[in-house]
Every structure is written in C-alpha cells, then in structure tokens.
Amino acid sequence: LFLLIGSYLRCRKRTEKFQVVRDERLLEIWHKIHQNARRLPVLLDSGGAPHPPVLFGFFRQKLLLPVAYMQTLSDSEVELLLTHEYIHYRSGDGIINIFTLCLWPFCWYNPFFLAARRRLRINCELACDAEVLKRFPHKTAEYGRLLLAFANTERPPEVAMAFREYAGELRSRIIYMTQLPARRKSS
C-alpha cells in the first residue's frame, strides 16, 4: 500500500510541472467530443516523450497528452484518441483502477484477485473500444492502426489508465474490434 501511495504521489508531483494544453486544434477536437459536459479532466501537455495519452488522478483527474507527438496525427486520429480517453473518464475507469490497486495489498494472498483485476482492466478497454467504434463504425481499421502506433511507446505507471496495453492485450482488443460488426448483426 505504501508503494502504491508513493507511486501515486510521484506521478502527481511529476504532473505538476506540465503545462495546460494550448494547442487550438486539440482543444477544438476536445470540445467537439465532450459536448459541454460539466466536469472534465484537465488537459496537460506532458512534453516531448512519445507515450500514450494517460488518464491520471482521483479527485481532480488529468489527461496527460503527448502534444508534440499528436501533431503528427490526423484530425480523425486525434478525435478517435480523445474520444477513447473521454469515454474512460466518463465511465470512471481511472477511479476503478485506483480502487482495485488500493484493494490489492489486502488481497495479496489471493491469486484470483490479480487475475480479476487484470481482466477488469481489459474489459474496461474493450468496452471503451466498443463505444468508440459505435460512434465511428467506419473507422475500425484507422482505430486499430492508432492502437498499434502506441504499442511501442513508454509504459505508463500502474496508477494511470493509458491508451497502451501489453502485446497480448492489444491483440485481444484488435480481434474483438474486428468481431464487433458481426456481434451487432447477430443481436
């Protein structure tokens, strides 16, 4: 539990030095996505490191964006990426992640807890992917390529929800995405 708290505080301290995003293109796409929601995460520019977008925080969540790297993405890709992160925020996935991390020290002896926690994270990603593709059904291939683009970037800390996952999880997500149209037809 102390390691978890230490990791959270380290991440929080690191985010304090980041600047608020001022990129007009990103802000315009962000406003288009959230459609005047009341409370939103703070968008922060995390500098030049190529890492996936990361949702971090408990009470006041922050979305850490690699703005310099995102300049290389098309508007459509940025919209997919920010929609994905907005859905995580709206669903409370970051808070659920921190909550399960806080429970882990009390259940360390139970091997099923780690498996359940991992499965929960994967299911959060699959649900988020399904929602993104429900909004943009014609962009499945583009979304899959976007996931692959972030596959070899920095691994974020456990206390954050990130766009990037391990190779096996990423494979599962892409397979699931390709099967979504067939699942919709059968329902």
Side-chain angles (χ1 to χ4, degrees):
L1 188 59
F2 291 119
L3 292 174
L4 173 67
I5 293 169
S7 176
Y8 183 83
L9 292 174
R10 233 182 351 272
C11 288
R12 196 167 128 197
K13 184 171 178 76
R14 203 174 337 162
T15 62
E16 289 172 358
K17 67 180 176 179
F18 297 145
Q19 301 294 315
V20 174
V21 171
R22 302 215 187 286
D23 183 282
E24 291 297 323
R25 180 178 81 125
L26 292 180
L27 292 174
E28 183 179 315
I29 294 170
W30 178 246
H31 291 298
K32 177 182 166 186
I33 291 167
H34 68 71
Q35 300 172 354
N36 301 320
R38 289 184 195 161
R39 189 171 172 143
L40 293 168
V42 177
L43 300 181
L44 297 176
D45 182 353
S46 58
H51 67 78
V54 175
L55 186 61
F56 173 76
F58 192 76
F59 295 110
R60 184 67 175 133
Q61 293 189 325
K62 298 166 184 72
L63 180 54
L64 310 179
L65 299 171
V67 174
Y69 182 74
M70 291 176 73
Q71 296 300 326
T72 64
L73 302 175
S74 69
D75 286 356
S76 177
E77 290 171 323
V78 170
E79 185 175 26
L80 287 168
L81 192 73
L82 292 177
T83 299
H84 177 95
E85 295 304 326
Y86 176 69
I87 291 168
H88 270 311
Y89 172 75
R90 194 187 69 207
S91 302
D93 293 343
I95 293 170
I96 291 169
N97 180 51
I98 290 175
F99 181 69
T100 59
L101 278 171
C102 289
L103 285 178
W104 181 76
F106 303 108
C107 303
W108 63 268
Y109 54 86
N110 186 345
F112 297 110
F113 183 80
L114 284 179
R117 182 183 175 281
R118 185 171 184 205
R119 192 71 223 159
L120 178 71
R121 274 182 73 101
I122 292 170
N123 284 337
C124 285
E125 291 299 334
L126 292 176
C128 192
D129 292 341
E131 181 66 27
V132 169
L133 293 176
K134 186 176 168 185
R135 292 181 184 197
F136 305 101
H138 56 285
K139 295 184 179 183
T140 303
E142 183 179 11
Y143 188 64
R145 282 191 300 273
L146 188 60
L147 288 174
L148 291 172
F150 283 97
N152 292 323
T153 56
E154 271 183 40
R155 182 76 185 157
E158 283 291 311
V159 293
M161 286 298 287
F163 192 71
R164 177 190 180 276
E165 297 296 325
Y166 292 110
E169 295 167 358
L170 183 59
R171 183 175 178 271
S172 300
R173 286 173 70 183
I174 291 174
I175 289 170
Y176 180 77
M177 285 174 12
T178 60
Q179 295 172 351
L180 276 175
R183 288 180 187 183
R184 282 190 202 120
K185 287 177 186 172
S186 66
S187 344

